[in-house]
């Protein structure tokens, strides 16, 4: 089911583009995109329910000075969306971060009930250290 004439992958892409520290009110628009029983997972957390999901996103925006999502790919249909992205941002009290990732979102009746993000925690941590990406690749290259 298409809402507002746009496919699920494009609606999710548009929602991410609006989530910035300059627009904290944009978090509320997630209620229309996600079900009340949303399950969100990524490498560091699992969140259940729309209230906790909204709170998680509010915390993220409060901690960031800047936040930007570059979506390279948005594919799928109205039941499964796949996004390939790069997240860049600067913490209010910390360094600039960058990580590449993928999202798989499953929906029913046009709303997402299962959202899983896949990204590398080591890459994210290394991005905060000057030369950290190069160091991480050098250390791990013997195992590749």
């Amino acid at each position: 089911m298409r809402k507002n004439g746009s496919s699920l992958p494009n609606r999710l892409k548009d929602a991410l583009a609006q989530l910035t520290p300059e627009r904290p009110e944009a978090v509320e628009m997630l209620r229309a995109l996600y079900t009340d029983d949303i399950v969100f997972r990524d490498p560091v957390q699992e969140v259940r329910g729309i209230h906790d999901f909204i709170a998680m996103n509010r915390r993220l925006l409060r901690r960031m000075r800047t936040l930007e999502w570059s979506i390279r790919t948005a594919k799928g249909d109205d039941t499964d969306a796949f996004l390939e992205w790069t997240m860049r941002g600067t913490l209010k009290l910390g360094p600039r971060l960058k990580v590449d990732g993928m999202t798989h979102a499953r929906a029913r009746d046009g709303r997402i009930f299962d959202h899983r993000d896949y990204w590398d925690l080591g890459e994210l941590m290394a991005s905060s250290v000057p030369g950290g990406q190069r160091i991480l690749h050098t250390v791990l290259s013997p195992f590749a």
Side-chain angles (χ1 to χ4, degrees):
M1 169 191 297
R2 290 181 182 221
K3 303 259 183 181
N4 303 329
S6 186
S7 69
L8 179 65
N10 286 327
R11 288 175 38 231
L12 184 54
K13 176 183 176 180
D14 292 345
L16 283 176
Q18 294 181 51
L19 288 178
T20 67
E22 297 83 23
R23 294 195 60 224
E25 71 280 0
V27 169
E28 282 303 315
M29 57 122 190
L30 296 175
R31 291 183 192 280
L33 185 58
Y34 290 87
T35 63
D36 289 344
D37 62 345
I38 175 64
V39 176
F40 171 87
R41 291 164 293 179
D42 72 10
V44 297
Q45 62 192 330
E46 180 173 313
V47 174
R48 293 178 175 273
I50 191 68
H51 298 295
D52 289 343
F53 181 69
I54 295 289
M56 175 197 72
N57 281 283
R58 280 194 180 122
R59 283 190 305 274
L60 172 66
L61 293 182
R62 277 196 308 265
R63 291 179 180 141
M64 303 301 290
R65 187 174 332 130
T66 64
L67 182 63
E68 168 192 346
W69 300 89
S70 300
I71 311 296
R72 289 186 300 284
T73 306
K75 293 185 177 187
D77 56 31
D78 291 327
T79 59
D80 281 288
F82 300 90
L83 273 61
E84 180 184 12
W85 44 262
T86 298
M87 185 276 300
R88 291 178 180 85
T90 305
L91 293 164
K92 283 186 178 176
L93 298 173
R96 183 150 174 79
L97 304 171
K98 175 187 169 282
V99 68
D100 294 320
M102 303 272 310
T103 294
H104 177 212
R106 297 185 306 145
R108 64 176 175 259
D109 299 323
R111 294 173 65 204
I112 298 168
F113 68 90
D114 184 60
H115 178 140
R116 182 142 192 190
D117 284 346
Y118 299 89
W119 47 270
D120 185 335
L121 184 57
E123 178 187 3
L124 179 67
M125 300 306 285
S127 75
S128 68
V129 177
Q133 296 278 335
R134 189 175 59 252
I135 293 166
L136 180 64
H137 290 289
T138 300
V139 168
L140 296 178
S141 65
F143 304 104

